[in-house]
């Protein structure tokens, strides 16, 4: 089925990026959040980011105005029920996601496709609690959404081929590339990426190197654009820890044990860029390593 109207649940970092790319590709977007302030901030971020695209000649002023006009913000979850496609981009908590889908259920049209932007949770388990497991998929965008070209498509055990093909076409319309992943903990990207970050934290914890040397080693020695500790700060250390718990619980292998130092940073509230401190202190003009 053609997808024109898209509901996005969650106006945080991921949600506003998803709304941005759908609106600029010609879709009508309903962006929902329980917080009116979060919605205002999200629209402001989209306006700022699209203005940057205009300044770089990546889109015209007219296209920007048209894209912004296609975004509607609402605190009423039920207003998303008539959308062709709903993308849940709330916090990485299975309980929260279950509550959102349950709250949305009474207003859903029969053909609406439900998706979750979860980075690691079981799509099969999320889908089984809805009334349409065959029309439910994992739709995992990467941060920052407007810049990262990959989208992971994850089929639950009940996902239909029609649902998969519909979302594959949507990814193509967005100008992005789809990677199809099986429904196992962490999927592809985070199954590889987050344990690498966790191992870098172990190297710091064990005194193999300090923050600066570990990050420089991966940037210069492996040609990574960001060091693993810097990247952990960018993702959010609470998110990294949550994914490590999913991997550890789901795969029952000790190699996925979260580093105790990662746990301590999260307990301290040092979650990375979003809180001003993580493996770097971001409160000054230049980030400074904290260890």
């Amino acid at each position: 089925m053609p997808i024109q109207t898209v509901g996005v649940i969650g106006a945080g970092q991921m949600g506003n990026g998803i709304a941005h790319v759908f609106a600029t590709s010609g879709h009508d977007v309903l962006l929902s959040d329980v917080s009116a302030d979060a919605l205002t901030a999200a629209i402001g971020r989209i306006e700022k980011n699209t203005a940057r695209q205009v300044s770089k000649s990546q889109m015209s002023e007219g296209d920007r105005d048209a894209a912004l006009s296609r975004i509607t913000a609402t605190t009423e979850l039920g207003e998303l029920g008539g959308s062709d496609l709903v993308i849940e981009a709330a916090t990485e908590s299975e309980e929260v996601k279950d509550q959102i889908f349950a709250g949305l259920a009474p207003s859903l049209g029969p053909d609406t496709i439900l998706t979750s932007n979860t980075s690691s949770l079981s799509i099969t388990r999320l889908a089984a609690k809805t009334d349409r497991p065959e029309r439910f998929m994992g739709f995992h965008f990467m941060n920052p959404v407007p810049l990262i070209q990959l989208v992971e498509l994850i089929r639950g055990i009940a996902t239909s081929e029609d649902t998969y093909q519909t979302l594959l076409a949507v990814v193509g319309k967005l100008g992005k590339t789809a990677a199809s992943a099986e429904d196992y903990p962490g999927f592809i990207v985070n199954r590889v990426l987050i344990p690498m970050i966790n191992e870098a934290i172990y190297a710091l914890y064990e005194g193999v190197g300090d923050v600066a040397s570990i990050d420089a080693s991966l940037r210069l020695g492996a040609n990574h654009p960001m060091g693993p500790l810097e990247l952990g700060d960018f993702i959010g250390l609470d998110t990294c820890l949550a994914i490590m718990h999913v991997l550890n619980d789901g795969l029952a292998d000790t190699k996925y044990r979260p580093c105790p130092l990662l746990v301590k940073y999260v307990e301290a509230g040092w979650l990375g860029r979003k809180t001003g401190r993580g493996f770097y202190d971001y409160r000054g003009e230049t980030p400074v390593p904290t260890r």
Side-chain angles (χ1 to χ4, degrees):
M1 61 175 280
I3 300 295
Q4 179 56 38
T5 57
V6 179
V8 179
I9 302 170
Q13 195 170 43
M14 296 303 300
N16 80 67
I18 293 168
H20 175 153
V21 298
F22 272 96
T24 55
S25 65
H27 297 84
D28 298 318
V29 178
L30 266 171
L31 179 60
S32 174
D33 199 283
V34 294
S35 166
D37 289 342
L39 288 168
T40 299
I43 297 299
R45 175 65 63 85
I46 295 168
E47 290 173 345
K48 179 179 178 181
N49 288 342
T50 51
R52 185 182 296 116
Q53 288 179 299
V54 171
S55 71
K56 294 181 178 180
S57 300
Q58 295 171 346
M59 71 166 63
S60 69
E61 191 72 48
D63 287 342
R64 174 181 183 255
D65 291 343
L68 292 174
S69 74
R70 287 191 284 266
I71 303 174
T72 302
T74 178
T75 56
E76 298 297 324
L77 184 63
E79 292 185 14
L80 276 62
S83 304
D84 300 324
L85 168 67
V86 172
I87 304 167
E88 171 276 313
T91 187
E92 190 70 351
S93 161
E94 188 164 343
E95 181 180 0
V96 169
K97 294 178 189 299
D98 287 342
Q99 290 173 352
I100 288 171
F101 289 124
L104 186 61
S107 61
L108 284 176
D111 296 325
T112 300
I113 294 175
L114 292 180
T115 67
S116 176
N117 186 57
T118 178
S119 54
S120 61
L121 297 174
S122 168
I123 298 304
T124 297
R125 197 163 60 238
L126 288 171
K129 298 166 191 171
T130 73
D131 66 345
R132 60 195 66 210
E134 73 287 349
R135 300 182 69 76
F136 192 109
M137 273 194 69
F139 205 26
H140 183 211
F141 291 82
M142 314 291 158
N143 186 44
V145 179
L147 299 181
I148 303 297
Q149 290 302 302
L150 186 76
V151 181
E152 280 185 309
L153 295 180
I154 306 99
R155 280 181 274 202
I157 195 169
T159 304
S160 71
E161 181 65 18
D162 284 347
T163 299
Y164 170 75
Q165 291 296 334
T166 296
L167 291 186
L168 191 61
V170 168
V171 174
K173 186 175 179 182
L174 295 177
K176 296 187 181 293
T177 299
S180 297
E182 293 298 320
D183 186 22
Y184 293 108
F187 316 133
I188 296 172
V189 173
N190 285 325
R191 173 75 176 266
V192 176
L193 177 63
I194 302 301
M196 182 198 75
I197 293 172
N198 192 58
E199 191 62 27
I201 300 169
Y202 264 115
L204 178 63
Y205 176 64
E206 295 169 0
V208 178
D210 59 17
V211 169
S213 61
I214 291 169
D215 275 354
S217 295
L218 270 293
R219 280 199 313 272
L220 303 178
N223 203 29
H224 289 191
M226 298 173 73
L229 302 174
E230 181 186 9
L231 181 56
D233 277 357
F234 181 76
I235 293 169
L237 299 183
D238 53 339
T239 300
C240 293
L241 180 58
I243 294 170
M244 286 306 301
H245 281 312
V246 168
L247 292 171
N248 195 33
D249 294 344
L251 299 170
D253 191 320
T254 55
K255 71 180 180 181
Y256 298 115
R257 182 172 70 97
C259 179
L261 184 59
L262 172 59
V263 175
K264 288 297 181 188
Y265 268 67
V266 173
E267 288 176 342
W270 291 21
L271 308 182
R273 285 183 176 271
K274 61 187 175 184
T275 58
R277 280 189 291 187
F279 291 109
Y280 292 84
D281 189 326
Y282 299 93
R283 295 174 297 174
E285 290 186 10
T286 304
V288 178
T290 55
R291 292 180 85 86

